[in-house]
Amino acid sequence: SQQGEEDPQALSIQEGENATMNCSYKTSINNLQWYRQNSGRGLVHLILIRSNEREKHSGRLRVTLDTSKKSSSLLITASRAADTASYFCATDPSGSRLTFGEGTQLTVNP
Amino acid sequence: GAGVSQSPSNKVTEKGKDVELRCDPISGHTALYWYRQSLGQGLEFLIYFQGNSAPDKSGLPSDRFSAERTGGSVSTLTIQRTQQEDSAVYLCASKGPGRHNEQFFGPGTRLTVL
């Protein structure tokens, strides 16, 4: 099965609420990254957390990494309608190419 | 340029035709990747170029798919004898030198095979 699996597959919340997405992976990693994709086009890098880090913040984003459970979470606080997008986690077990999950579709309702 | 560019943005072709998709990476980026994304799915790795090393072609789904990177910059992904299942968005990404693997993506080419 696929390295990097997000859940839930879809999430719908109201503006101002927090959104939490989870990612699980199977092999050891150097780092884990989260990307955002609008309308099925190019991806935008959001945040990278290294394997020796447990938590990282960037603006309204908070990422955690638990290497013992091979899982990560992405928290978006105080969500906005503009946060509506697909969110993907990606791992680099080989240190070069990335392996992406199938993504979580987040809808933030105004 | 300021970012990764891809052309064309959309391509409609007939089954059996060959297509070429182009990627212009960020200047100075030594690594270049091609991915494919079917509707509502995650990204599927296709091929990876790193400097002058032999490319990692392990993700190419069949021998109808090939890619070149000329002069360490522009890359072309070629699909021969296209099939309907080749319909997808083809995404290119590049990465600069450094310890981490943050990739910068182009806007993609949406390929539709009729």
Side-chain angles (χ1 to χ4, degrees):
Chain A
S1 51
Q2 192 170 11
Q3 173 92 335
E5 298 180 0
E6 295 90 342
D7 79 271
Q9 291 186 331
L11 179 62
S12 182
I13 60 174
Q14 295 300 121
E15 210 165 23
E17 294 180 341
N18 296 340
T20 300
M21 290 161 272
N22 302 297
C23 168
S24 60
Y25 58 93
K26 299 188 185 305
T27 65
S28 61
I29 60 172
N30 296 307
N31 61 65
L32 185 144
Q33 304 177 44
W34 285 90
Y35 286 80
R36 167 195 167 122
Q37 184 181 40
N38 287 81
S39 305
R41 302 301 283 220
L43 278 72
V44 174
H45 181 266
L46 294 177
I47 193 166
L48 178 151
I49 185 165
R50 286 176 279 187
S51 59
N52 62 352
E53 296 177 314
R54 293 295 168 260
E55 186 171 312
K56 199 163 184 180
H57 296 255
S58 177
R60 293 185 295 114
L61 304 181
R62 172 179 171 252
V63 169
T64 63
L65 178 65
D66 186 335
T67 53
S68 66
K69 296 181 180 178
K70 292 187 167 58
S71 68
S72 173
S73 68
L74 171 68
L75 168 68
I76 303 175
T77 60
S79 64
R80 306 166 182 168
D83 294 329
T84 295
S86 293
Y87 292 83
F88 295 87
C89 69
T91 57
D92 66 337
S94 64
S96 56
R97 55 190 259 193
L98 291 177
T99 301
F100 288 83
E102 295 192 357
T104 293
Q105 172 60 50
L106 173 66
T107 302
V108 181
N109 301 299
Chain B
V4 178
S5 61
Q6 292 186 245
S7 61
S9 57
N10 288 282
K11 176 72 176 178
V12 180
T13 190
E14 294 180 347
K15 178 181 173 181
K17 300 284 189 183
D18 298 351
V19 295
E20 284 190 353
L21 311 180
R22 177 187 168 106
C23 172
D24 283 87
I26 293 173
S27 177
H29 279 194
T30 55
L32 186 148
Y33 305 79
W34 282 98
Y35 297 90
R36 176 170 74 172
Q37 186 178 32
S38 300
L39 186 63
Q41 302 294 312
L43 275 71
E44 175 190 7
F45 167 78
L46 297 177
I47 188 168
Y48 158 54
F49 296 89
Q50 174 61 61
N52 295 322
S53 302
D56 176 356
K57 303 179 182 180
S58 59
L60 295 179
S62 77
D63 59 7
R64 295 187 296 104
F65 288 72
S66 62
E68 291 184 338
R69 188 178 185 193
T70 55
S73 180
V74 172
S75 177
T76 302
L77 177 69
T78 301
I79 309 173
Q80 295 178 310
R81 306 180 302 282
T82 53
Q83 304 294 312
Q84 288 184 330
E85 59 263 30
D86 298 335
S87 296
V89 176
Y90 289 81
L91 292 159
C92 174
S94 69
K95 182 178 85 74
R99 293 177 299 154
H100 303 304
N101 199 17
E102 177 185 347
Q103 297 184 15
F104 295 82
F105 282 80
T109 293
R110 186 178 299 280
L111 175 66
T112 303
V113 182
L114 302 176

